[in-house]
Amino acid sequence: MKLEILNVPSFWGVEIKQRYYQIHEGNKKLVVLFPGQNYPCNKPTLHFAGTSAIQSGFDLLILEYGYQAARADLDRNEVRRVVEDSYESVKQVVHKYNQVAFISKSLGTIIAGEVHGKLDVPIKHIFLTPNKDTIPYVNKFNGIVVYGTKDQVFNEELASGINKENEIITIMNANHSLETNDVEESVEILKKLVKIYMHFLKE
């Protein structure tokens, strides 16, 4: 496996160093991870999404956002800049693949939807812990939605706005990080998530 760093200039004046793992030359399958606003890709939910992708034979692009690289706070008016930086990152490599999956979390579900709209390639999605602004992207592009019953951002009422073509998976007792206050229960949730990832990537 080869690790390549994609250097992408950002609105925040720093160069983003996107990690791009290639399983083997000529591989045609890619997963892109879109982090949450304060939930980078090295946190459990996304870390294990990435390792599941590699184990399933996918190349992996792990995104960081410009404000994260700059160690700055995000102004919601700057989300468009995050989209632009993420699109510039993804478009460097996506043309090499005929099977592409976006796994996104929270704010990342919106970024993933916006980036998908700028690309002319088929993409399948897992939307982890979305928010109400994600719903139009879910209904446009379809995918799997995963959220916890104790998520303060997304709930059953919002989930009712998602078209029935999509699969909705609720995780009992899980919060917006898809964890609980109990360590063993959180590990069990991770096991469930890995099964979801592996099944999704094999389809």
Side-chain angles (χ1 to χ4, degrees):
M1 183 168 62
K2 173 184 161 188
L3 169 61
E4 182 179 346
I5 302 298
L6 307 180
N7 295 308
V8 180
S10 80
F11 166 76
W12 285 266
V14 297
E15 198 166 61
I16 314 169
K17 298 185 181 300
Q18 311 289 33
R19 287 172 292 154
Y20 174 42
Y21 293 90
Q22 298 162 80
I23 303 295
H24 58 75
E25 190 70 32
N27 190 19
K28 294 299 182 182
K29 302 191 296 183
L30 174 71
V31 164
V32 183
L33 298 184
F34 290 79
Q37 181 170 344
N38 298 305
Y39 196 98
C41 291
N42 60 0
K43 285 199 170 184
T45 296
L46 291 174
H47 169 75
F48 285 101
T51 54
S52 296
I54 289 171
Q55 187 171 319
S56 300
F58 284 72
D59 290 356
L60 178 65
L61 177 59
I62 300 175
L63 295 183
E64 182 180 39
Y65 304 140
Y67 73 90
Q68 293 172 334
R71 305 295 183 263
D73 292 327
L74 177 67
D75 185 315
R76 296 298 286 193
N77 295 323
E78 296 169 341
V79 170
R80 176 62 51 188
R81 305 293 190 172
V82 177
V83 172
E84 291 168 2
D85 290 351
S86 299
Y87 169 67
E88 291 299 323
S89 302
V90 173
K91 80 171 187 179
Q92 289 190 35
V93 300
V94 73
H95 64 277
K96 298 193 287 187
Y97 299 93
N98 57 28
Q99 189 174 346
V100 180
F102 285 178
I103 301 178
S104 56
K105 186 174 188 317
S106 193
L107 172 69
T109 60
I110 297 169
I111 308 304
E114 283 284 331
V115 171
H116 185 168
K118 293 174 175 286
L119 296 169
D120 188 24
V121 295
I123 298 165
K124 61 181 187 176
H125 288 265
I126 295 182
F127 300 96
L128 300 168
T129 66
N131 62 45
K132 66 178 182 180
D133 295 329
T134 312
I135 294 172
Y137 302 107
V138 178
N139 289 337
K140 181 176 182 179
F141 297 121
N142 295 329
I144 298 172
V145 174
V146 183
Y147 74 98
T149 59
K150 293 187 177 177
D151 189 335
Q152 295 181 332
V153 175
F154 199 80
N155 55 33
E156 188 176 359
E157 182 181 353
L158 289 173
S160 68
I162 292 173
N163 293 342
K164 61 184 179 182
E165 290 82 6
N166 299 284
E167 181 179 0
I168 300 175
I169 299 172
T170 54
I171 306 293
M172 291 301 297
N173 299 322
N175 60 22
H176 192 61
S177 295
L178 290 173
E179 298 177 4
T180 74
N181 292 328
D182 182 273
V183 174
E184 291 184 356
E185 191 173 15
S186 294
V187 170
E188 289 302 314
I189 290 170
L190 274 177
K191 288 181 180 179
K192 288 178 185 176
L193 290 172
V194 167
K195 287 181 180 178
I196 293 166
Y197 300 148
M198 298 297 279
H199 180 71
F200 167 78
L201 294 169
K202 284 176 182 174
E203 286 183 334

